[in-house]
Amino acid sequence: MTESRKRIVAGNWKMHGDMDFSSELAGAVAAGASDYEHIGVALCPPFPYLAAAAEAVEGTHIHVGAQDVAAQSGTGAYTGEVSGQMLRDVGCWYALVGHSERRSLFGDTNAVVAAKYQAAREAGLVPILCLGETLDERDGGQMESVLAAQLDAVMGDDADVLSDAVIAYEPVWAIGTGRTATPEQAQAAHAFIRGRIATKSDTIARHLPMLYGGSVKPANAAELFAQPDVDGGLIGGASLNAEDFLAICAAAAG
Ligand code: PEP
């Protein structure tokens, strides 16, 4: 990790928990994360629990993030959607955009992800753009072309859109499977993504925090975060347990 890049650990709670669980988990992380104030910590609960989580972490350095955001801005006849402005209103700082489960289960194409990314930025949210290849794509030698297409859909010719953003590299084959990318595999993918951004703007590439996601646990976090282009983690399963999540924060804090 380069000194100029902030380390971030973000928890993606997915569709888990209820109101009590969310408040308690956010409160427990808030109580324990005061030791790690020099890293960014984010919690992404389901939409109905965002406000409660935001309240539980109020006054701490922890931020709350949404797991998705509407591609449409403001208000309108978009049944079931939640706009970036609404997310800001309930205390969100971040929004995940393009998580592989949104892409594979809910039809978020690269174009939709790009629209959501732009809407998040326009609302003043920090997008956490998720990129990642499937096992078939990796085995077929397509990892770089898939990552490039996902990145380019958002970046286009203007890397400025990536300023004040975060990227999460999450190989689909490592999400929720218990099969983590090796530190070398994570580093290679991160270096590829950073290098591609650097072709447009070296400054933005150098400053962009890039998280690894995919079965990160307390036992493997430190070796992943030791890679030069890995600046933290996007954590699914292990973020549902305060002790595990805080141990991963400790690994990022170094
Ligand atoms: C995720 O869903 O973003 C994720 C990384 O999940 P897990 O840590 O459970 O693999």
Side-chain angles (χ1 to χ4, degrees):
M1 204 244 350
T2 300
E3 287 307 313
S4 59
R5 286 199 295 274
K6 187 168 184 163
R7 289 193 157 195
I8 299 171
V9 177
N12 173 16
W13 296 1
K14 310 194 185 193
M15 198 171 77
H16 291 294
D18 58 18
M19 184 64 94
D20 287 347
F21 175 88
S22 300
S23 298
E24 281 165 25
L25 180 54
V29 173
S34 54
D35 292 341
Y36 316 119
E37 283 185 356
H38 55 294
I39 67 164
V41 178
L43 303 177
C44 303
F47 285 134
Y49 310 130
L50 283 167
E55 194 180 322
V57 302
E58 205 178 334
T60 75
H61 78 296
I62 299 172
H63 288 302
V64 166
Q67 297 174 18
D68 193 22
V69 59
Q72 296 79 12
S73 293
T75 58
Y78 302 111
T79 303
E81 291 298 298
V82 181
S83 73
Q85 288 85 348
M86 292 169 180
L87 296 173
R88 287 280 292 165
D89 199 25
V90 295
C92 285
W93 183 265
Y94 293 105
L96 302 183
V97 180
H99 189 280
S100 67
E101 287 152 18
R102 301 298 320 168
R103 293 177 188 265
S104 66
L105 302 174
F106 302 103
D108 282 13
T109 60
N110 281 343
V112 168
V113 171
K116 289 184 171 187
Y117 182 94
Q118 191 181 339
R121 269 175 65 92
E122 279 170 13
L125 291 162
V126 175
I128 301 178
L129 172 64
C130 304
L131 312 174
E133 81 289 355
T134 65
L135 192 56
D136 279 353
E137 289 164 344
R138 173 172 277 260
D139 289 347
Q142 294 168 277
M143 180 192 86
E144 292 191 351
S145 61
V146 168
L147 295 179
Q150 292 174 346
L151 175 65
D152 291 356
V154 168
M155 177 170 71
D157 280 329
D158 183 11
D160 282 353
V161 298
L162 295 171
S163 61
D164 302 321
V166 178
I167 284 184
Y169 167 64
E170 298 204 301
V172 178
W173 46 273
I175 295 180
T177 60
R179 178 180 168 184
T180 318
T182 64
E184 294 73 25
Q185 286 172 321
Q187 169 57 25
H190 283 225
F192 171 76
I193 295 165
R194 203 181 297 287
R196 193 164 182 91
I197 298 166
T199 64
K200 307 276 187 241
S201 167
D202 190 49
T203 306
I204 287 178
R206 274 190 290 111
H207 289 96
L208 186 68
M210 208 174 290
L211 316 183
Y212 167 78
S215 299
V216 178
K217 308 285 177 220
N220 60 24
E223 57 176 1
L224 287 159
F225 301 164
Q227 298 303 306
D229 284 295
V230 178
D231 306 309
L234 178 55
I235 318 301
S239 72
L240 296 170
N241 177 294
E243 201 180 320
D244 286 352
F245 186 70
L246 287 167
I248 293 169
C249 291

